[in-house]
Amino acid sequence: MAPVPGSGLAKGLAVTLRTMTKKTVTEQYPDTQPELPPRTRGVIGLFEENCTVCMLCARECPDWCIYIDSHKETVPAATPGGRDRSRNVLDRFAIDFALCMYCGICIEVCPFDALFWSPEFEYAETDIRDLTHERDKLREWMWTVPAPPALDPGAEDPKELAAARKAADKLAAQQQPDRPGQADQSGQADQSGQPDRPGQEDRP
């Protein structure tokens, strides 16, 4: 059967009419900021106090876009006769976002929670060299890191929290004074071992 002339045009107009009656989903960016998911990978923030210069993030980065410099300092002994210790001091921590592919490996491998995702994405630059963010700039991104989501009501406590509670309960049990009456019970137990009736030892 031959197609009716103009049927394709009628179908196209029908689609247009159906679309016109639906609510628009276009966001007028940048006049209106988009609502981003809580786990959006925008930019990486650095919490410098947690960084121990272990270099795990720089070694695991597939793009080699993390630059870290440090030096060692001697920490005097805390007690007399103790041994001096050395620690790493962070001198430079920079991320080149012109090379970064936002895989998040550096955040996952950090054992001390020094790197966090921020949903901020408006940091375009006219010069590519300005996309290398030093530690001061990375520290500023920490103010935009959202709070972690709350746990589900039926979820288990984190293993760190469970271990801390177990240690606290054990310490409280050790510091708890003896219950009243325990000494009396022990005294009665000692007396129970003695002969109660005279003449028991004389029996053959």
Side-chain angles (χ1 to χ4, degrees):
M1 182 177 178
V4 178
S7 59
L9 178 61
K11 291 181 180 179
L13 291 175
V15 173
T16 302
L17 292 175
R18 287 198 304 269
T19 306
M20 290 175 60
T21 57
K22 293 181 180 179
K23 183 180 179 180
T24 59
V25 295
T26 304
E27 295 181 353
Q28 301 300 325
Y29 177 83
D31 297 332
T32 303
Q33 292 294 325
E35 295 183 3
L36 302 175
R39 298 180 64 183
T40 298
R41 298 185 177 188
V43 70
I44 298 174
L46 170 67
F47 191 58
E48 187 176 337
E49 287 75 5
N50 287 359
C51 181
T52 60
V53 201
C54 64
M55 306 293 290
L56 274 177
C57 55
R59 288 199 299 263
E60 297 296 332
C61 177
D63 292 333
W64 291 84
C65 65
I66 301 177
Y67 313 110
I68 300 176
D69 293 329
S70 65
H71 70 277
K72 289 185 177 294
E73 286 186 356
T74 302
V75 181
T79 58
R83 185 180 61 180
D84 295 342
R85 298 182 180 273
S86 61
R87 66 174 181 180
N88 292 325
V89 179
L90 183 65
D91 293 329
R92 185 194 182 201
F93 195 109
I95 300 178
D96 188 356
F97 287 101
L99 298 177
C100 179
M101 65 178 186
Y102 303 91
C103 62
I105 293 178
C106 58
I107 298 177
E108 296 294 332
V109 301
C110 180
F112 300 103
D113 292 335
L115 298 174
F116 297 87
W117 278 118
S118 168
E120 294 293 328
F121 61 92
E122 296 179 321
Y123 51 93
E125 301 288 349
T126 57
D127 189 347
I128 193 174
R129 292 172 294 185
D130 294 335
L131 285 175
T132 301
H133 294 186
E134 299 292 337
R135 65 177 184 175
D136 294 337
K137 183 66 174 178
L138 297 174
R139 179 60 182 267
E140 293 179 2
W141 291 124
M142 281 299 302
W143 297 104
T144 62
V145 174
L151 296 176
D152 294 335
E156 297 181 357
D157 293 335
K159 59 181 182 180
E160 297 83 2
L161 183 58
R165 287 179 177 174
K166 185 177 180 180
D169 295 341
K170 183 177 180 181
L171 181 61
Q174 293 176 355
Q175 295 179 350
Q176 186 177 4
D178 295 337
R179 296 179 181 177
Q182 286 184 347
D184 300 335
Q185 293 178 1
S186 60
Q188 292 177 1
D190 296 337
Q191 295 176 3
S192 61
Q194 298 178 358
D196 297 332
R197 292 179 294 179
Q200 284 184 342
E201 296 181 352
D202 300 334
R203 292 181 181 181

